[in-house]
Amino acid sequence: MSSTHDELQTEKNEKYVASRYNYIQEAKDGGWLVYNSLSRKIIEIPLRFKQKAEKILKGTEGVEINSALKEYRLVKDGFLVKQDYHEGYAAHAQYLKEIGDSDLGLTIVPTFRCNCRCPYCYQDHEKGMILGRELQDAIIKFIKKNISRYTGVQISWFGGEPLLCSESILYMNNEIKKICAMRYKTFKSSITSNGYLLSKGLFEKLLSSGVRRYFITVDGLKDMHDKQRYLADGKGSYERIIRNLEDIKTIARTKDFIVNIRTNVSKELFVRLEDYVADMSSRFGDDSRFGFFFRPVFDWGGDSIDGFRDHLLDEKQGFADIFNKLTESKYDLNYLMHYSDLTQSSICYASRINHFVINPDGSINKCTCADTGGNNLVGQLLTTGEMELDYGKTGMWSTQYLEDSECEKCYLMGQCLKSYCVSGQVLNQTQSKNCYIAKYACGEILSLLDKCNAKYHYIDEIEL
């Protein structure tokens, strides 16, 4: 009887062609980094296999492959598809799957108040309301009543500065965590904070309540950060935030969490980026629980940005320039979030059918980056634990699948699925596109990951 291996060797070859969603970037060793936006896979093809890879991935005739061959890895990871495979339909099916995610996602804004006054912030911190206990219990009731409909619950804490309401966060997370445990559902929680109030003691309580992912902003060295992220009384916030982060670092390595440090890059910080990366590397480069991601300072709207416009990089070219500078740096950081830029779905949470934003007054939005009224106001949470929803509005956020020929031709369409940000269509009733920012720096992101791969192992090397 022939072995399974022999059977595979005699399997009939099928003809495959390169996926339209492939992106190829030269690796630092002269080989290739290959990314597929629909499968969200990244591989490295060493220089010694480059010539063979070129015939397979850049040829026009198609190649015959069967599952016994090393090249079949390219099929499994989506870099090669059958000649008659309809990738556009596959992308649309992926879109339907992702907007219908079976987890309940709640972004809870316990307050719009903030202890900082960042010049690029779009929010109105004069909205002084705080999420009261009656509405906290209403959220818990809603989850308890509806938990059977979902595979799990994801709670994201946002603001304002959510840690101004830390007791409410701890109370609600612990209650929701118990509900999920009793019903054998997954529970995940994250928080976006300026970090000023995030002492080690509070961090440990949040960790115990289920918060595993933290998004903290540090905008450069002390002098730069304190110009961009100062307190309401005008004082700097840098020293306390850094002290908090260094204290958190002393928590036992057996504790499972990720602190993602976001840096908003202005023209001034761009010039001194190497000094900043060197400093962060010396503080956190030896702890993979601390990840870093960089963005140009964006204009998110609001009045505050008007006085800061002269400090803004170009959003598209600036993004690529930042990555080039990080790749040239002598220092390494854990760029896990930039790996996620390419390997995780970039469909906005607002497009997901089962995701809602709950404000301190119980009003329900879909987007945290837009005004709370208009088509963004989709419902109200009642004290009984019921959601009154306007499905005419919620449906707008989940059906904005652009019929755009340029999108169809874009290699990154498999990642953004034409729904990275649909606020323009929903709020302004236009067919304007808001392209995923990675489109303007895909090659630069891949080069940065390649540079740090030996330390952080983002990319698999394959043989052909």
Side-chain angles (χ1 to χ4, degrees), residues 165-194:
C165 304
S166 59
E167 290 303 315
S168 300
I169 293 172
L170 293 170
Y171 165 68
M172 293 180 67
N173 256 23
N174 282 318
E175 290 299 310
I176 297 167
K177 185 179 173 184
K178 281 190 279 187
I179 294 169
C180 291
M182 288 176 64
R183 300 297 294 271
Y184 301 100
K185 306 290 185 177
T186 59
F187 174 68
K188 297 177 182 177
S189 186
S190 65
I191 189 166
T192 299
S193 166
N194 58 42

Side-chain angles (χ1 to χ4, degrees), residues 218 220-221 238 242 245 261 263 275-286 292 294 332-333:
V218 180
L221 299 169
Y238 176 86
I242 291 296
L245 292 172
I261 298 175
T263 300
D275 294 337
Y276 172 64
V277 173
D279 182 65
M280 288 291 110
S281 180
S282 68
R283 295 178 190 274
F284 305 108
D286 61 343
F292 290 79
F294 293 75
D332 287 342
L333 294 171

Side-chain angles (χ1 to χ4, degrees), residues 95-241:
Y95 164 78
L96 294 173
K97 177 183 175 183
E98 291 185 14
I99 65 164
D101 184 3
S102 57
D103 275 0
L104 170 66
L106 297 179
T107 296
I108 304 175
V109 181
T111 182
F112 286 110
R113 294 179 187 176
C114 189
N115 51 347
C116 285
R117 292 295 182 271
C118 307
Y120 50 74
C121 185
Y122 59 91
Q123 289 188 328
D124 178 6
H125 299 309
E126 300 309 314
K127 295 179 181 177
M129 184 176 287
I130 288 178
L131 187 71
R133 180 53 67 93
E134 191 174 36
L135 283 173
Q136 293 173 37
D137 287 336
I139 294 172
I140 294 167
K141 287 176 189 174
F142 172 78
I143 292 172
K144 190 176 289 186
K145 288 178 180 180
N146 294 281
I147 189 70
S148 61
R149 297 168 51 195
Y150 305 106
T151 54
V153 178
Q154 299 186 37
I155 303 293
S156 303
W157 294 98
F158 198 68
E161 173 47 53
L163 290 183
L164 291 171
C165 304
S166 59
E167 290 303 315
S168 300
I169 293 172
L170 293 170
Y171 165 68
M172 293 180 67
N173 256 23
N174 282 318
E175 290 299 310
I176 297 167
K177 185 179 173 184
K178 281 190 279 187
I179 294 169
C180 291
M182 288 176 64
R183 300 297 294 271
Y184 301 100
K185 306 290 185 177
T186 59
F187 174 68
K188 297 177 182 177
S189 186
S190 65
I191 189 166
T192 299
S193 166
N194 58 42
Y196 191 79
L197 300 175
L198 191 59
S199 65
K200 181 180 178 181
L202 177 55
F203 184 92
E204 290 176 322
K205 290 178 182 177
L206 290 166
L207 202 58
S208 178
S209 78
V211 181
R212 291 284 182 268
R213 291 173 65 84
Y214 300 78
F215 297 88
I216 311 298
T217 301
V218 180
D219 281 357
L221 299 169
K222 176 177 165 53
D223 60 324
M224 291 176 284
H225 175 96
D226 285 345
K227 286 179 183 176
Q228 290 187 193
R229 301 188 67 81
Y230 45 84
L231 299 173
D233 62 7
K235 295 179 181 178
S237 62
Y238 176 86
E239 289 184 351
R240 183 159 167 182
I241 294 170

Side-chain angles (χ1 to χ4, degrees), residues 165-410:
C165 304
S166 59
E167 290 303 315
S168 300
I169 293 172
L170 293 170
Y171 165 68
M172 293 180 67
N173 256 23
N174 282 318
E175 290 299 310
I176 297 167
K177 185 179 173 184
K178 281 190 279 187
I179 294 169
C180 291
M182 288 176 64
R183 300 297 294 271
Y184 301 100
K185 306 290 185 177
T186 59
F187 174 68
K188 297 177 182 177
S189 186
S190 65
I191 189 166
T192 299
S193 166
N194 58 42
Y196 191 79
L197 300 175
L198 191 59
S199 65
K200 181 180 178 181
L202 177 55
F203 184 92
E204 290 176 322
K205 290 178 182 177
L206 290 166
L207 202 58
S208 178
S209 78
V211 181
R212 291 284 182 268
R213 291 173 65 84
Y214 300 78
F215 297 88
I216 311 298
T217 301
V218 180
D219 281 357
L221 299 169
K222 176 177 165 53
D223 60 324
M224 291 176 284
H225 175 96
D226 285 345
K227 286 179 183 176
Q228 290 187 193
R229 301 188 67 81
Y230 45 84
L231 299 173
D233 62 7
K235 295 179 181 178
S237 62
Y238 176 86
E239 289 184 351
R240 183 159 167 182
I241 294 170
I242 291 296
R243 182 170 69 248
N244 286 343
L245 292 172
E246 291 184 326
D247 286 347
I248 289 166
K249 186 186 171 189
T250 65
I251 294 173
R253 296 290 179 101
T254 54
K255 296 291 185 179
D256 177 28
F257 63 83
I258 291 288
V259 176
N260 293 295
I261 298 175
R262 173 174 178 144
T263 300
N264 299 295
V265 182
S266 62
K267 288 179 180 177
E268 292 77 10
L269 176 52
F270 181 77
V271 173
R272 297 174 60 190
L273 201 56
E274 179 72 350
D275 294 337
Y276 172 64
V277 173
D279 182 65
M280 288 291 110
S281 180
S282 68
R283 295 178 190 274
F284 305 108
D286 61 343
D287 192 333
S288 60
R289 298 175 299 179
F290 289 80
F292 290 79
F293 69 112
F294 293 75
R295 295 285 191 265
V297 178
F298 289 134
D299 177 1
W300 292 105
D303 297 330
S304 298
I305 193 69
D306 290 337
F308 200 74
R309 290 190 190 281
D310 290 343
H311 303 275
L312 303 184
L313 294 167
D314 178 84
E315 288 185 4
K316 296 175 184 177
Q317 185 57 46
F319 196 55
D321 290 344
I322 289 167
F323 284 112
N324 283 329
K325 205 153 197 177
L326 294 173
T327 302
E328 293 165 2
S329 173
K330 294 184 292 185
Y331 305 95
D332 287 342
L333 294 171
N334 183 4
Y335 294 112
L336 181 62
M337 280 295 292
H338 292 309
Y339 176 73
S340 297
D341 277 338
L342 299 181
T343 60
Q344 299 295 316
S345 172
S346 63
I347 283 186
C348 181
Y349 56 84
S351 293
R352 298 179 186 273
I353 293 169
N354 295 324
H355 192 283
F356 304 96
V357 179
I358 301 178
N359 294 320
D361 62 354
S363 61
I364 300 172
N365 290 156
K366 290 295 283 182
C367 176
T368 59
C369 300
D371 187 83
T372 54
N375 286 336
N376 195 25
L377 179 59
V378 299
Q380 181 70 35
L381 177 70
L382 306 181
T383 55
T384 57
E386 305 293 328
M387 277 190 186
E388 285 189 343
L389 294 173
D390 181 338
Y391 291 103
K393 288 184 178 179
T394 60
M396 291 182 185
W397 291 90
S398 301
T399 56
Q400 298 296 327
Y401 194 76
L402 277 171
E403 295 301 328
D404 187 290
S405 59
E406 290 302 312
C407 287
E408 292 294 339
K409 296 173 187 174
C410 179

